[in-house]
mmCIF file with all atom_site columns, all heavy atoms in Angstrom:
data_model
loop_
_atom_site.group_PDB
_atom_site.id
_atom_site.type_symbol
_atom_site.label_atom_id
_atom_site.label_alt_id
_atom_site.label_comp_id
_atom_site.label_asym_id
_atom_site.label_entity_id
_atom_site.label_seq_id
_atom_site.pdbx_PDB_ins_code
_atom_site.Cartn_x
_atom_site.Cartn_y
_atom_site.Cartn_z
_atom_site.occupancy
_atom_site.B_iso_or_equiv
_atom_site.pdbx_formal_charge
_atom_site.auth_seq_id
_atom_site.auth_comp_id
_atom_site.auth_asym_id
_atom_site.auth_atom_id
_atom_site.pdbx_PDB_model_num
ATOM 1   N N   . MET F 1 1  ? 77.408  110.497 66.621 1.00 0.00 ? 1  MET F N   1
ATOM 2   C CA  . MET F 1 1  ? 78.193  109.232 66.767 1.00 0.00 ? 1  MET F CA  1
ATOM 3   C C   . MET F 1 1  ? 79.625  109.512 66.307 1.00 0.00 ? 1  MET F C   1
ATOM 4   O O   . MET F 1 1  ? 80.625  109.024 66.993 1.00 0.00 ? 1  MET F O   1
ATOM 5   C CB  . MET F 1 1  ? 77.653  108.156 65.921 1.00 0.00 ? 1  MET F CB  1
ATOM 6   C CG  . MET F 1 1  ? 76.373  107.524 66.505 1.00 0.00 ? 1  MET F CG  1
ATOM 7   S SD  . MET F 1 1  ? 75.677  106.116 65.571 1.00 0.00 ? 1  MET F SD  1
ATOM 8   C CE  . MET F 1 1  ? 75.289  106.824 64.026 1.00 0.00 ? 1  MET F CE  1
ATOM 9   N N   . ASN F 1 2  ? 79.830  110.282 65.282 1.00 0.00 ? 2  ASN F N   1
ATOM 10  C CA  . ASN F 1 2  ? 81.178  110.601 64.792 1.00 0.00 ? 2  ASN F CA  1
ATOM 11  C C   . ASN F 1 2  ? 81.971  111.424 65.806 1.00 0.00 ? 2  ASN F C   1
ATOM 12  O O   . ASN F 1 2  ? 83.141  111.228 66.026 1.00 0.00 ? 2  ASN F O   1
ATOM 13  C CB  . ASN F 1 2  ? 81.133  111.285 63.423 1.00 0.00 ? 2  ASN F CB  1
ATOM 14  C CG  . ASN F 1 2  ? 80.621  110.459 62.379 1.00 0.00 ? 2  ASN F CG  1
ATOM 15  O OD1 . ASN F 1 2  ? 80.639  109.251 62.414 1.00 0.00 ? 2  ASN F OD1 1
ATOM 16  N ND2 . ASN F 1 2  ? 80.140  111.142 61.238 1.00 0.00 ? 2  ASN F ND2 1
ATOM 17  N N   . GLN F 1 3  ? 81.263  112.266 66.469 1.00 0.00 ? 3  GLN F N   1
ATOM 18  C CA  . GLN F 1 3  ? 81.868  113.258 67.495 1.00 0.00 ? 3  GLN F CA  1
ATOM 19  C C   . GLN F 1 3  ? 82.367  112.317 68.619 1.00 0.00 ? 3  GLN F C   1
ATOM 20  O O   . GLN F 1 3  ? 83.473  112.539 69.127 1.00 0.00 ? 3  GLN F O   1
ATOM 21  C CB  . GLN F 1 3  ? 80.918  114.243 67.905 1.00 0.00 ? 3  GLN F CB  1
ATOM 22  C CG  . GLN F 1 3  ? 81.534  115.267 68.906 1.00 0.00 ? 3  GLN F CG  1
ATOM 23  C CD  . GLN F 1 3  ? 80.446  116.247 69.455 1.00 0.00 ? 3  GLN F CD  1
ATOM 24  O OE1 . GLN F 1 3  ? 79.328  116.232 69.000 1.00 0.00 ? 3  GLN F OE1 1
ATOM 25  N NE2 . GLN F 1 3  ? 80.928  117.154 70.284 1.00 0.00 ? 3  GLN F NE2 1
ATOM 26  N N   . ARG F 1 4  ? 81.546  111.353 69.103 1.00 0.00 ? 4  ARG F N   1
ATOM 27  C CA  . ARG F 1 4  ? 81.986  110.569 70.202 1.00 0.00 ? 4  ARG F CA  1
ATOM 28  C C   . ARG F 1 4  ? 83.164  109.684 69.844 1.00 0.00 ? 4  ARG F C   1
ATOM 29  O O   . ARG F 1 4  ? 84.039  109.469 70.620 1.00 0.00 ? 4  ARG F O   1
ATOM 30  C CB  . ARG F 1 4  ? 80.777  109.615 70.659 1.00 0.00 ? 4  ARG F CB  1
ATOM 31  C CG  . ARG F 1 4  ? 79.522  110.302 71.185 1.00 0.00 ? 4  ARG F CG  1
ATOM 32  C CD  . ARG F 1 4  ? 79.898  111.366 72.245 1.00 0.00 ? 4  ARG F CD  1
ATOM 33  N NE  . ARG F 1 4  ? 78.696  111.932 72.839 1.00 0.00 ? 4  ARG F NE  1
ATOM 34  C CZ  . ARG F 1 4  ? 77.985  113.001 72.348 1.00 0.00 ? 4  ARG F CZ  1
ATOM 35  N NH1 . ARG F 1 4  ? 78.311  113.588 71.154 1.00 0.00 ? 4  ARG F NH1 1
ATOM 36  N NH2 . ARG F 1 4  ? 76.946  113.454 73.046 1.00 0.00 ? 4  ARG F NH2 1
ATOM 37  N N   . THR F 1 5  ? 83.151  109.118 68.567 1.00 0.00 ? 5  THR F N   1
ATOM 38  C CA  . THR F 1 5  ? 84.188  108.348 68.108 1.00 0.00 ? 5  THR F CA  1
ATOM 39  C C   . THR F 1 5  ? 85.496  109.146 68.071 1.00 0.00 ? 5  THR F C   1
ATOM 40  O O   . THR F 1 5  ? 86.595  108.629 68.552 1.00 0.00 ? 5  THR F O   1
ATOM 41  C CB  . THR F 1 5  ? 83.946  107.789 66.648 1.00 0.00 ? 5  THR F CB  1
ATOM 42  O OG1 . THR F 1 5  ? 82.725  107.076 66.756 1.00 0.00 ? 5  THR F OG1 1
ATOM 43  C CG2 . THR F 1 5  ? 85.100  106.938 66.129 1.00 0.00 ? 5  THR F CG2 1
ATOM 44  N N   . HIS F 1 6  ? 85.442  110.436 67.588 1.00 0.00 ? 6  HIS F N   1
ATOM 45  C CA  . HIS F 1 6  ? 86.588  111.300 67.556 1.00 0.00 ? 6  HIS F CA  1
ATOM 46  C C   . HIS F 1 6  ? 87.139  111.595 68.994 1.00 0.00 ? 6  HIS F C   1
ATOM 47  O O   . HIS F 1 6  ? 88.405  111.537 69.248 1.00 0.00 ? 6  HIS F O   1
ATOM 48  C CB  . HIS F 1 6  ? 86.279  112.607 66.890 1.00 0.00 ? 6  HIS F CB  1
ATOM 49  C CG  . HIS F 1 6  ? 87.399  113.561 66.708 1.00 0.00 ? 6  HIS F CG  1
ATOM 50  N ND1 . HIS F 1 6  ? 88.496  113.325 65.921 1.00 0.00 ? 6  HIS F ND1 1
ATOM 51  C CD2 . HIS F 1 6  ? 87.644  114.692 67.368 1.00 0.00 ? 6  HIS F CD2 1
ATOM 52  C CE1 . HIS F 1 6  ? 89.314  114.261 66.047 1.00 0.00 ? 6  HIS F CE1 1
ATOM 53  N NE2 . HIS F 1 6  ? 88.872  115.151 66.866 1.00 0.00 ? 6  HIS F NE2 1
ATOM 54  N N   . GLN F 1 7  ? 86.224  111.785 69.907 1.00 0.00 ? 7  GLN F N   1
ATOM 55  C CA  . GLN F 1 7  ? 86.679  112.044 71.318 1.00 0.00 ? 7  GLN F CA  1
ATOM 56  C C   . GLN F 1 7  ? 87.377  110.815 71.885 1.00 0.00 ? 7  GLN F C   1
ATOM 57  O O   . GLN F 1 7  ? 88.353  110.972 72.606 1.00 0.00 ? 7  GLN F O   1
ATOM 58  C CB  . GLN F 1 7  ? 85.434  112.496 72.196 1.00 0.00 ? 7  GLN F CB  1
ATOM 59  C CG  . GLN F 1 7  ? 84.954  113.838 71.864 1.00 0.00 ? 7  GLN F CG  1
ATOM 60  C CD  . GLN F 1 7  ? 83.638  114.151 72.604 1.00 0.00 ? 7  GLN F CD  1
ATOM 61  O OE1 . GLN F 1 7  ? 82.894  113.272 73.011 1.00 0.00 ? 7  GLN F OE1 1
ATOM 62  N NE2 . GLN F 1 7  ? 83.323  115.416 72.773 1.00 0.00 ? 7  GLN F NE2 1
ATOM 63  N N   . ILE F 1 8  ? 86.838  109.654 71.635 1.00 0.00 ? 8  ILE F N   1
ATOM 64  C CA  . ILE F 1 8  ? 87.460  108.432 72.143 1.00 0.00 ? 8  ILE F CA  1
ATOM 65  C C   . ILE F 1 8  ? 88.864  108.232 71.564 1.00 0.00 ? 8  ILE F C   1
ATOM 66  O O   . ILE F 1 8  ? 89.864  107.920 72.308 1.00 0.00 ? 8  ILE F O   1
ATOM 67  C CB  . ILE F 1 8  ? 86.634  107.197 71.793 1.00 0.00 ? 8  ILE F CB  1
ATOM 68  C CG1 . ILE F 1 8  ? 85.345  107.240 72.661 1.00 0.00 ? 8  ILE F CG1 1
ATOM 69  C CG2 . ILE F 1 8  ? 87.348  105.897 72.009 1.00 0.00 ? 8  ILE F CG2 1
ATOM 70  C CD1 . ILE F 1 8  ? 84.256  106.203 72.240 1.00 0.00 ? 8  ILE F CD1 1
ATOM 71  N N   . GLN F 1 9  ? 89.078  108.516 70.242 1.00 0.00 ? 9  GLN F N   1
ATOM 72  C CA  . GLN F 1 9  ? 90.323  108.449 69.582 1.00 0.00 ? 9  GLN F CA  1
ATOM 73  C C   . GLN F 1 9  ? 91.302  109.452 70.235 1.00 0.00 ? 9  GLN F C   1
ATOM 74  O O   . GLN F 1 9  ? 92.505  109.143 70.395 1.00 0.00 ? 9  GLN F O   1
ATOM 75  C CB  . GLN F 1 9  ? 90.258  108.656 68.070 1.00 0.00 ? 9  GLN F CB  1
ATOM 76  C CG  . GLN F 1 9  ? 89.549  107.530 67.439 1.00 0.00 ? 9  GLN F CG  1
ATOM 77  C CD  . GLN F 1 9  ? 89.137  107.857 65.988 1.00 0.00 ? 9  GLN F CD  1
ATOM 78  O OE1 . GLN F 1 9  ? 89.186  108.974 65.524 1.00 0.00 ? 9  GLN F OE1 1
ATOM 79  N NE2 . GLN F 1 9  ? 88.838  106.804 65.205 1.00 0.00 ? 9  GLN F NE2 1
ATOM 80  N N   . GLU F 1 10 ? 90.824  110.678 70.481 1.00 0.00 ? 10 GLU F N   1
ATOM 81  C CA  . GLU F 1 10 ? 91.715  111.685 71.133 1.00 0.00 ? 10 GLU F CA  1
ATOM 82  C C   . GLU F 1 10 ? 92.172  111.204 72.537 1.00 0.00 ? 10 GLU F C   1
ATOM 83  O O   . GLU F 1 10 ? 93.390  111.398 72.820 1.00 0.00 ? 10 GLU F O   1
ATOM 84  C CB  . GLU F 1 10 ? 90.959  112.981 71.217 1.00 0.00 ? 10 GLU F CB  1
ATOM 85  C CG  . GLU F 1 10 ? 90.873  113.805 69.901 1.00 0.00 ? 10 GLU F CG  1
ATOM 86  C CD  . GLU F 1 10 ? 90.185  115.076 70.063 1.00 0.00 ? 10 GLU F CD  1
ATOM 87  O OE1 . GLU F 1 10 ? 89.589  115.327 71.203 1.00 0.00 ? 10 GLU F OE1 1
ATOM 88  O OE2 . GLU F 1 10 ? 90.207  115.896 69.178 1.00 0.00 ? 10 GLU F OE2 1
ATOM 89  N N   . ILE F 1 11 ? 91.315  110.756 73.322 1.00 0.00 ? 11 ILE F N   1
ATOM 90  C CA  . ILE F 1 11 ? 91.705  110.213 74.656 1.00 0.00 ? 11 ILE F CA  1
ATOM 91  C C   . ILE F 1 11 ? 92.703  109.025 74.543 1.00 0.00 ? 11 ILE F C   1
ATOM 92  O O   . ILE F 1 11 ? 93.691  109.075 75.264 1.00 0.00 ? 11 ILE F O   1
ATOM 93  C CB  . ILE F 1 11 ? 90.439  109.701 75.424 1.00 0.00 ? 11 ILE F CB  1
ATOM 94  C CG1 . ILE F 1 11 ? 89.560  110.980 75.723 1.00 0.00 ? 11 ILE F CG1 1
ATOM 95  C CG2 . ILE F 1 11 ? 90.829  109.016 76.731 1.00 0.00 ? 11 ILE F CG2 1
ATOM 96  C CD1 . ILE F 1 11 ? 88.183  110.559 76.320 1.00 0.00 ? 11 ILE F CD1 1
ATOM 97  N N   . ARG F 1 12 ? 92.454  108.200 73.674 1.00 0.00 ? 12 ARG F N   1
ATOM 98  C CA  . ARG F 1 12 ? 93.417  107.050 73.510 1.00 0.00 ? 12 ARG F CA  1
ATOM 99  C C   . ARG F 1 12 ? 94.793  107.503 72.996 1.00 0.00 ? 12 ARG F C   1
ATOM 100 O O   . ARG F 1 12 ? 95.804  107.046 73.458 1.00 0.00 ? 12 ARG F O   1
ATOM 101 C CB  . ARG F 1 12 ? 92.870  105.997 72.580 1.00 0.00 ? 12 ARG F CB  1
ATOM 102 C CG  . ARG F 1 12 ? 91.729  105.230 73.198 1.00 0.00 ? 12 ARG F CG  1
ATOM 103 C CD  . ARG F 1 12 ? 91.211  104.040 72.302 1.00 0.00 ? 12 ARG F CD  1
ATOM 104 N NE  . ARG F 1 12 ? 90.251  103.306 73.075 1.00 0.00 ? 12 ARG F NE  1
ATOM 105 C CZ  . ARG F 1 12 ? 89.259  102.728 72.420 1.00 0.00 ? 12 ARG F CZ  1
ATOM 106 N NH1 . ARG F 1 12 ? 89.055  102.754 71.206 1.00 0.00 ? 12 ARG F NH1 1
ATOM 107 N NH2 . ARG F 1 12 ? 88.369  102.031 73.212 1.00 0.00 ? 12 ARG F NH2 1
ATOM 108 N N   . ALA F 1 13 ? 94.826  108.514 72.122 1.00 0.00 ? 13 ALA F N   1
ATOM 109 C CA  . ALA F 1 13 ? 96.079  109.118 71.626 1.00 0.00 ? 13 ALA F CA  1
ATOM 110 C C   . ALA F 1 13 ? 96.738  109.775 72.756 1.00 0.00 ? 13 ALA F C   1
ATOM 111 O O   . ALA F 1 13 ? 98.015  109.748 72.882 1.00 0.00 ? 13 ALA F O   1
ATOM 112 C CB  . ALA F 1 13 ? 95.807  110.053 70.481 1.00 0.00 ? 13 ALA F CB  1
ATOM 113 N N   . ASP F 1 14 ? 95.984  110.538 73.581 1.00 0.00 ? 14 ASP F N   1
ATOM 114 C CA  . ASP F 1 14 ? 96.622  111.217 74.768 1.00 0.00 ? 14 ASP F CA  1
ATOM 115 C C   . ASP F 1 14 ? 97.244  110.184 75.694 1.00 0.00 ? 14 ASP F C   1
ATOM 116 O O   . ASP F 1 14 ? 98.311  110.389 76.334 1.00 0.00 ? 14 ASP F O   1
ATOM 117 C CB  . ASP F 1 14 ? 95.679  112.096 75.454 1.00 0.00 ? 14 ASP F CB  1
ATOM 118 C CG  . ASP F 1 14 ? 95.289  113.362 74.631 1.00 0.00 ? 14 ASP F CG  1
ATOM 119 O OD1 . ASP F 1 14 ? 95.966  113.692 73.710 1.00 0.00 ? 14 ASP F OD1 1
ATOM 120 O OD2 . ASP F 1 14 ? 94.244  113.987 75.008 1.00 0.00 ? 14 ASP F OD2 1
ATOM 121 N N   . MET F 1 15 ? 96.475  109.128 75.938 1.00 0.00 ? 15 MET F N   1
ATOM 122 C CA  . MET F 1 15 ? 96.983  108.057 76.920 1.00 0.00 ? 15 MET F CA  1
ATOM 123 C C   . MET F 1 15 ? 98.337  107.472 76.350 1.00 0.00 ? 15 MET F C   1
ATOM 124 O O   . MET F 1 15 ? 99.308  107.251 77.030 1.00 0.00 ? 15 MET F O   1
ATOM 125 C CB  . MET F 1 15 ? 95.928  106.991 77.080 1.00 0.00 ? 15 MET F CB  1
ATOM 126 C CG  . MET F 1 15 ? 94.751  107.463 77.866 1.00 0.00 ? 15 MET F CG  1
ATOM 127 S SD  . MET F 1 15 ? 93.410  106.264 77.861 1.00 0.00 ? 15 MET F SD  1
ATOM 128 C CE  . MET F 1 15 ? 94.163  104.828 78.522 1.00 0.00 ? 15 MET F CE  1
ATOM 129 N N   . ALA F 1 16 ? 98.357  107.192 75.049 1.00 0.00 ? 16 ALA F N   1
ATOM 130 C CA  . ALA F 1 16 ? 99.594  106.631 74.406 1.00 0.00 ? 16 ALA F CA  1
ATOM 131 C C   . ALA F 1 16 ? 100.723 107.587 74.411 1.00 0.00 ? 16 ALA F C   1
ATOM 132 O O   . ALA F 1 16 ? 101.830 107.214 74.747 1.00 0.00 ? 16 ALA F O   1
ATOM 133 C CB  . ALA F 1 16 ? 99.221  106.251 73.012 1.00 0.00 ? 16 ALA F CB  1
ATOM 134 N N   . ALA F 1 17 ? 100.438 108.864 74.192 1.00 0.00 ? 17 ALA F N   1
ATOM 135 C CA  . ALA F 1 17 ? 101.516 109.869 74.159 1.00 0.00 ? 17 ALA F CA  1
ATOM 136 C C   . ALA F 1 17 ? 102.078 110.091 75.637 1.00 0.00 ? 17 ALA F C   1
ATOM 137 O O   . ALA F 1 17 ? 103.289 110.285 75.796 1.00 0.00 ? 17 ALA F O   1
ATOM 138 C CB  . ALA F 1 17 ? 100.936 111.206 73.647 1.00 0.00 ? 17 ALA F CB  1
ATOM 139 N N   . GLY F 1 18 ? 101.197 109.973 76.619 1.00 0.00 ? 18 GLY F N   1
ATOM 140 C CA  . GLY F 1 18 ? 101.727 110.123 77.995 1.00 0.00 ? 18 GLY F CA  1
ATOM 141 C C   . GLY F 1 18 ? 102.661 109.015 78.391 1.00 0.00 ? 18 GLY F C   1
ATOM 142 O O   . GLY F 1 18 ? 103.701 109.206 79.035 1.00 0.00 ? 18 GLY F O   1
ATOM 143 N N   . GLY F 1 19 ? 102.397 107.834 77.962 1.00 0.00 ? 19 GLY F N   1
ATOM 144 C CA  . GLY F 1 19 ? 103.268 106.716 78.310 1.00 0.00 ? 19 GLY F CA  1
ATOM 145 C C   . GLY F 1 19 ? 104.551 106.771 77.547 1.00 0.00 ? 19 GLY F C   1
ATOM 146 O O   . GLY F 1 19 ? 105.633 106.476 78.108 1.00 0.00 ? 19 GLY F O   1
ATOM 147 N N   . ASP F 1 20 ? 104.578 107.191 76.272 1.00 0.00 ? 20 ASP F N   1
ATOM 148 C CA  . ASP F 1 20 ? 105.718 107.398 75.561 1.00 0.00 ? 20 ASP F CA  1
ATOM 149 C C   . ASP F 1 20 ? 106.654 108.496 76.214 1.00 0.00 ? 20 ASP F C   1
ATOM 150 O O   . ASP F 1 20 ? 107.897 108.281 76.301 1.00 0.00 ? 20 ASP F O   1
ATOM 151 C CB  . ASP F 1 20 ? 105.483 107.844 74.114 1.00 0.00 ? 20 ASP F CB  1
ATOM 152 C CG  . ASP F 1 20 ? 104.798 106.716 73.287 1.00 0.00 ? 20 ASP F CG  1
ATOM 153 O OD1 . ASP F 1 20 ? 104.943 105.552 73.766 1.00 0.00 ? 20 ASP F OD1 1
ATOM 154 O OD2 . ASP F 1 20 ? 104.249 107.027 72.289 1.00 0.00 ? 20 ASP F OD2 1
ATOM 155 N N   . CYS F 1 21 ? 106.119 109.519 76.635 1.00 0.00 ? 21 CYS F N   1
ATOM 156 C CA  . CYS F 1 21 ? 106.831 110.647 77.288 1.00 0.00 ? 21 CYS F CA  1
ATOM 157 C C   . CYS F 1 21 ? 107.566 110.160 78.576 1.00 0.00 ? 21 CYS F C   1
ATOM 158 O O   . CYS F 1 21 ? 108.705 110.403 78.831 1.00 0.00 ? 21 CYS F O   1
ATOM 159 C CB  . CYS F 1 21 ? 105.877 111.785 77.608 1.00 0.00 ? 21 CYS F CB  1
ATOM 160 S SG  . CYS F 1 21 ? 106.779 113.262 78.401 1.00 0.00 ? 21 CYS F SG  1
ATOM 161 N N   . LEU F 1 22 ? 106.780 109.409 79.422 1.00 0.00 ? 22 LEU F N   1
ATOM 162 C CA  . LEU F 1 22 ? 107.372 108.839 80.603 1.00 0.00 ? 22 LEU F CA  1
ATOM 163 C C   . LEU F 1 22 ? 108.488 107.868 80.291 1.00 0.00 ? 22 LEU F C   1
ATOM 164 O O   . LEU F 1 22 ? 109.527 107.885 81.029 1.00 0.00 ? 22 LEU F O   1
ATOM 165 C CB  . LEU F 1 22 ? 106.271 108.176 81.431 1.00 0.00 ? 22 LEU F CB  1
ATOM 166 C CG  . LEU F 1 22 ? 106.639 107.616 82.829 1.00 0.00 ? 22 LEU F CG  1
ATOM 167 C CD1 . LEU F 1 22 ? 107.253 108.784 83.760 1.00 0.00 ? 22 LEU F CD1 1
ATOM 168 C CD2 . LEU F 1 22 ? 105.534 106.918 83.427 1.00 0.00 ? 22 LEU F CD2 1
ATOM 169 N N   . GLN F 1 23 ? 108.315 107.045 79.306 1.00 0.00 ? 23 GLN F N   1
ATOM 170 C CA  . GLN F 1 23 ? 109.330 106.072 78.954 1.00 0.00 ? 23 GLN F CA  1
ATOM 171 C C   . GLN F 1 23 ? 110.623 106.822 78.517 1.00 0.00 ? 23 GLN F C   1
ATOM 172 O O   . GLN F 1 23 ? 111.718 106.449 78.890 1.00 0.00 ? 23 GLN F O   1
ATOM 173 C CB  . GLN F 1 23 ? 108.853 105.112 77.845 1.00 0.00 ? 23 GLN F CB  1
ATOM 174 C CG  . GLN F 1 23 ? 109.741 103.996 77.542 1.00 0.00 ? 23 GLN F CG  1
ATOM 175 C CD  . GLN F 1 23 ? 109.135 103.026 76.502 1.00 0.00 ? 23 GLN F CD  1
ATOM 176 O OE1 . GLN F 1 23 ? 108.226 103.449 75.715 1.00 0.00 ? 23 GLN F OE1 1
ATOM 177 N NE2 . GLN F 1 23 ? 109.610 101.901 76.474 1.00 0.00 ? 23 GLN F NE2 1
ATOM 178 N N   . ARG F 1 24 ? 110.422 107.894 77.669 1.00 0.00 ? 24 ARG F N   1
ATOM 179 C CA  . ARG F 1 24 ? 111.667 108.616 77.264 1.00 0.00 ? 24 ARG F CA  1
ATOM 180 C C   . ARG F 1 24 ? 112.317 109.188 78.493 1.00 0.00 ? 24 ARG F C   1
ATOM 181 O O   . ARG F 1 24 ? 113.523 109.265 78.503 1.00 0.00 ? 24 ARG F O   1
ATOM 182 C CB  . ARG F 1 24 ? 111.210 109.702 76.247 1.00 0.00 ? 24 ARG F CB  1
ATOM 183 C CG  . ARG F 1 24 ? 111.052 109.134 74.890 1.00 0.00 ? 24 ARG F CG  1
ATOM 184 C CD  . ARG F 1 24 ? 110.777 110.240 73.837 1.00 0.00 ? 24 ARG F CD  1
ATOM 185 N NE  . ARG F 1 24 ? 109.525 110.009 73.238 1.00 0.00 ? 24 ARG F NE  1
ATOM 186 C CZ  . ARG F 1 24 ? 108.480 110.766 73.215 1.00 0.00 ? 24 ARG F CZ  1
ATOM 187 N NH1 . ARG F 1 24 ? 108.588 111.989 73.655 1.00 0.00 ? 24 ARG F NH1 1
ATOM 188 N NH2 . ARG F 1 24 ? 107.439 110.385 72.460 1.00 0.00 ? 24 ARG F NH2 1
ATOM 189 N N   . LEU F 1 25 ? 111.545 109.783 79.402 1.00 0.00 ? 25 LEU F N   1
ATOM 190 C CA  . LEU F 1 25 ? 112.171 110.413 80.636 1.00 0.00 ? 25 LEU F CA  1
ATOM 191 C C   . LEU F 1 25 ? 112.946 109.350 81.370 1.00 0.00 ? 25 LEU F C   1
ATOM 192 O O   . LEU F 1 25 ? 114.079 109.623 81.876 1.00 0.00 ? 25 LEU F O   1
ATOM 193 C CB  . LEU F 1 25 ? 111.074 111.061 81.474 1.00 0.00 ? 25 LEU F CB  1
ATOM 194 C CG  . LEU F 1 25 ? 111.550 111.747 82.670 1.00 0.00 ? 25 LEU F CG  1
ATOM 195 C CD1 . LEU F 1 25 ? 112.434 112.955 82.323 1.00 0.00 ? 25 LEU F CD1 1
ATOM 196 C CD2 . LEU F 1 25 ? 110.318 112.236 83.507 1.00 0.00 ? 25 LEU F CD2 1
#
C-alpha cells in the first residue's frame, strides 16, 4: 500500500512539474 501511495505521489509531482515547465516556457 505504501509503495502504491508513493508511486501516485510521484506521478502527481511529475504532472505538476510538467505544467510549471510549460508555463515558464
Side-chain angles (χ1 to χ4, degrees):
M1 288 186 293
N2 292 342
Q3 182 180 4
R4 298 310 185 275
T5 301
H6 181 70
Q7 289 173 338
I8 290 169
Q9 291 170 345
E10 284 181 348
I11 292 171
R12 287 187 176 146
D14 288 344
M15 289 170 59
D20 292 342
C21 181
L22 181 61
Q23 188 176 21
R24 278 187 238 124
L25 183 62

